[in-house]
Amino acid sequence: TGPLAGAPDVRRLRLHRDGRFDIAAHATFTLLDEFRRTVIPGLRLNYHFFDWFGVGLFGGPAFSYNTGLADELQEKAIDQRDCENNPNSPACRISAVSLCRGNDCLAENQLGRLVWFLAPQLTFVPFRGKFSLFGEAFMDADISLFVGAGIAGVDERAECALGECANNFALEHRVTAGPTFGLGFNFYPLDFLGFGAEFRGTPFEINNSGFDSGSDEENREEFPDNQVNGDDRSLSFNPILSVYVSLQLPTEIEISD
């Protein structure tokens, strides 16, 4: 009833997503890394059927480097022990299955790492509005939620059988997958240009250390089992943070009634 009966909630709404492609160049960084930090430059492509819903693809190649913990492990557990020249010392015999021998061998041969990442995903936009800076500058903004399948190419220590692991520290490529989901904050200073940041989690199993750190369910009392295989992988949440600049096409924005 009254003069506003049947009126829409909002008039002249600027539709930044409806019927548009969103192409974003991103720089992505892994968080809470144990042994290898990873940077993923890449692209995100979304198409939005409605202003609140779209489908897309996120991904890129990955480049990694040692954390301080990995460098300290190399220096104190490998370089100082000099197991290449003292293989029969007690410390070297105990760690023969789990620690490689040689300069920079952890980075080159043992530590697991992400090589590439790809995620088909659905995007939902439940909240939108305007961002104000000191009440003087305003820009459109929204919060997005996304969910999909994360597909990862990883290099990790190759499997080795009992009695073979002391001399086998080579890396082997493997493709794994898990759910991916996260939250994005998006800002639109121009009709065709945006920027923002996303936080994402993609749980999957990986042997980040390359250690003999597990055994099968039937032989837990025999830990360690002196072999490296799938039992040594552990579930990792793999949190990552992305920052990006995006281009919306077509460049002309639609405005609701």
Side-chain angles (χ1 to χ4, degrees):
T1 60
L4 296 180
D9 295 332
V10 180
R11 289 192 182 275
R12 306 292 293 169
L13 182 65
R14 297 165 59 82
L15 304 177
H16 284 277
R17 295 178 179 262
D18 188 18
R20 304 179 85 187
F21 287 96
D22 176 81
I23 305 169
H26 67 81
T28 297
F29 309 89
T30 54
L31 306 173
L32 306 177
D33 302 294
E34 295 176 290
F35 302 104
R36 300 281 291 183
R37 293 190 179 92
T38 304
V39 179
I40 310 172
L43 293 174
R44 185 199 66 201
L45 174 63
N46 284 332
Y47 177 75
H48 290 269
F49 299 99
F50 309 102
D51 206 49
W52 57 270
F53 173 71
V55 298
L57 196 64
F58 171 95
F63 305 91
S64 61
Y65 58 96
N66 277 5
T67 65
L69 176 60
D71 289 337
E72 188 172 354
L73 184 63
Q74 173 74 46
E75 177 186 355
K76 295 183 178 179
I78 298 175
D79 296 345
Q80 291 182 9
R81 288 180 176 182
D82 192 19
C83 290
E84 281 189 299
N85 298 316
N86 301 288
N88 294 319
S89 68
C92 292
R93 288 201 308 270
I94 291 172
S95 62
V97 172
S98 290
L99 287 174
C100 57
R101 300 174 182 179
N103 294 331
D104 297 323
C105 69
L106 282 176
E108 294 177 1
N109 299 321
Q110 181 172 341
L111 297 178
R113 67 211 58 193
L114 185 66
V115 179
W116 54 265
F117 182 78
L118 186 65
Q121 60 188 31
L122 303 176
T123 300
F124 303 89
V125 188
F127 306 107
R128 60 161 300 162
K130 286 188 177 293
F131 176 79
S132 171
L133 185 62
F134 305 116
E136 297 292 335
F138 298 87
M139 72 177 75
D140 294 340
D142 63 41
I143 296 175
S144 58
L145 305 174
F146 51 87
V147 62
I151 306 168
V154 300
D155 284 350
E156 64 181 0
R157 187 178 173 186
E159 294 187 4
C160 53
L162 185 66
E164 300 177 356
C165 293
N167 298 310
N168 187 351
F169 288 87
L171 294 176
E172 185 175 70
H173 190 69
R174 180 174 68 91
V175 177
T176 186
T180 187
F181 48 87
L183 172 72
F185 296 89
N186 313 283
F187 304 91
Y188 305 95
L190 300 174
D191 289 352
F192 59 89
L193 187 69
F195 67 92
E198 292 180 347
F199 175 79
R200 176 187 303 267
T202 308
F204 59 79
E205 289 189 341
I206 184 173
N207 185 357
N208 281 313
S209 65
F211 294 167
D212 171 24
S213 56
S215 58
D216 62 67
E217 293 289 342
E218 296 180 357
N219 297 290
R220 290 300 184 187
E221 69 278 0
E222 297 181 7
F223 170 80
D225 58 6
N226 292 313
Q227 54 187 326
V228 174
N229 51 37
D231 295 323
D232 300 299
R233 297 180 186 130
S234 59
L235 183 64
S236 175
F237 184 71
N238 302 302
I240 60 176
L241 178 67
S242 301
V243 293
Y244 61 86
V245 176
S246 62
L247 175 67
Q248 285 77 43
L249 298 174
T251 56
E252 185 175 347
I253 195 171
E254 290 191 18
I255 300 177
S256 69
D257 295 335

